[in-house]
């Protein structure tokens, strides 16, 4: 994991406003069914079974997550690498793995070793900077 140093950490906004902006800029919303925190993820690179993501976590300060008026505060963004098994999983549900990829399988390595760290730190920081420039018209504290 590569922790990024950006201006988004500590910023607060309404979930409905930022969700639209993140989605229109290639991010997906992930909550893992938690109501007090979530994250926005974006794929920076995908090759074979390896995917490098930028992740921007946030906490819900007021309201309920996935509601437009939930008030959130961003945490420190970071870059991570997941390594998944792209072969057949004969121990799992064969129906899901007949295509050679089981989207429900656990990554082989949730925090894989990231080579060329400075490249991915810069790419992640650029994405955060871009999203923040789009959000500049919102009332973010």
């Amino acid at each position: 994991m590569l922790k990024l140093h950006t201006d988004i950490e500590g910023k607060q906004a309404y979930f409905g406003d930022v969700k639209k902006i993140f989605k229109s800029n290639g991010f997906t919303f992930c909550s893992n069914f938690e109501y007090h925190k979530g994250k926005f993820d974006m794929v920076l690179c995908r090759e074979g079974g390896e995917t490098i993501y930028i992740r921007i976590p946030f906490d819900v300060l007021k309201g309920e997550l996935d509601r437009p008026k939930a008030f959130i505060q961003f945490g420190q963004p970071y870059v991570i690498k997941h390594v998944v098994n792209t072969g057949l999983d004969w121990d799992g549900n064969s129906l899901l793995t007949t295509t050679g990829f089981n989207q429900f399988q656990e990554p082989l390595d949730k925090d894989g070793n990231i080579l060329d760290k400075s490249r991915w730190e810069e790419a992640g920081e650029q994405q955060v900077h871009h999203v923040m420039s789009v959000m500049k018209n919102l009332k973010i504290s």
Side-chain angles (χ1 to χ4, degrees), residues 16-35:
D17 294 336
V18 297
K19 182 180 179 185
K20 292 175 191 173
I21 291 171
F22 275 89
K23 183 177 180 180
S24 68
N25 284 279
F27 284 82
T28 57
F29 164 63
C30 309
S31 72
N32 292 335
F33 303 103
E34 297 184 46
Y35 298 100

Side-chain angles (χ1 to χ4, degrees), residues 37-95:
K37 63 183 176 178
K39 54 195 167 282
F40 291 106
D41 284 357
M42 185 174 112
V43 173
L44 294 174
C45 178
R46 179 173 284 144
E47 290 181 11
E50 298 182 354
T51 305
I52 296 178
Y53 296 90
I54 179 172
R55 179 163 285 169
I56 304 175
F58 62 85
D59 293 312
V60 177
L61 301 178
K62 185 176 181 183
E64 296 178 26
L65 185 54
D66 210 15
R67 304 272 189 214
K69 294 295 181 183
F71 197 62
I72 64 172
Q73 179 173 325
F74 291 101
Q76 184 175 24
Y78 53 95
V79 173
I80 57 171
K81 177 178 167 182
H82 283 186
V83 180
V84 296
N85 182 1
T86 57
L88 294 177
D89 180 7
W90 296 108
D91 295 330
N93 183 340
S94 294
L95 181 62

